[in-house]
Amino acid sequence: METGTGRPRLLGDRYRLVSVKERDGRGVIWRAHDLRLRRDVAIKEIRPRFHADGAGLDDARRRAMREARSAGRLSHPAVVAVHDLLEEGGRLWIVMELVEALTLEETVGHLGHLPVHWTAWIGFRLLGGLRHAHGAGVLHRDINPGNILLTGERVVLSDFGIAALNGDPSTSSTVPVHCAPAYVAPERLRGRPANPAADLWSFGASLYFAVEGRPPYPGAHALEVLGQAMTRDPDPPVKAGPLGRVLRGLLRRAPEERITADHAARLLSKILRMEGVSVDPPGSRPRGSLPTRSPCSAV
């Protein structure tokens, strides 16, 4: 049986596609049901935009599948779990944990901006997942406010491995066309390979957006933003308070001058303690929910 758009209703003889949950520049996210384990899941349908052909395309697809499987081995509360990966009907399908949440982008859209203590808490939790991934040799490549999910008790980074599926992974310097330039590290825009420091830039740019209420490079058009991102430092933050030190350290244009994830975690932990928010030691599994002081009170 097929959906009204010609897609299979039953995927891999196991996953029943129920409804479209979301559409974005990277593909379609379906709400689905796993008939074998009797649980609801999210499935991302991707039509890869590889720039190779023939044998090159086959090699690119193999590399993409291998990278996505590596992401599937990650296990951390701050990372959306990947359950399965399939290739069917000329498309790639990633079966993931279903997380009911608002994105950071949606939350800031509702509130205008987030207070320092809440932004620091989000950053501290996200860093736990990012450090776990980097320790396993997995890069994200597309951290931005639309990929950061807030459930009330969890802060979750989604779409690990999907950036590689949208571009040609045969060259690690490729920036997928859907990536927002304001959240891509300057060295990647200049064609240098992705690495943990580039992920940290994107992480810092997302925190900048959270606390300032706007991206580090404003502009109505992608080309305008791209021009700024290629040539100058981000605008200095004005609402970040003690977070300013963290943002400046993460958003240094030279990757070798950027602060490390460990350094950023220590700074965020210190800010949270100053704000009276208890945190787990860096590197431990996070527990507890969002800070009790509502972010709405600061908006």
Side-chain angles (χ1 to χ4, degrees), residues 93-113:
W93 308 76
I94 299 182
V95 184
M96 304 175 291
E97 169 190 11
L98 180 64
V99 179
E100 302 287 4
L102 289 176
T103 66
L104 178 61
E105 183 176 38
E106 291 168 335
T107 302
V108 171
H110 289 314
L111 300 177
H113 71 91

Side-chain angles (χ1 to χ4, degrees), residues 181-265:
Y183 300 100
V184 179
E187 67 272 18
R188 290 205 65 210
L189 294 175
R190 295 182 181 277
R192 292 179 59 179
N195 59 21
D199 270 355
L200 286 173
W201 167 281
S202 302
F203 165 74
S206 298
L207 294 189
Y208 183 108
F209 170 81
V211 76
E212 295 293 309
R214 64 176 183 84
Y217 295 109
H221 306 288
L223 285 179
E224 179 185 358
V225 175
L226 180 61
Q228 298 179 64
M230 293 280 285
T231 58
R232 70 174 183 86
D233 292 331
D235 293 334
V238 297
K239 301 173 183 175
L243 264 177
R245 181 182 175 189
V246 181
L247 298 181
R248 289 189 295 271
L250 291 168
L251 297 178
R252 291 173 182 166
R253 295 182 63 80
E256 63 274 11
E257 297 177 1
R258 224 163 278 157
I259 62 174
T260 65
D262 289 347
H263 189 180

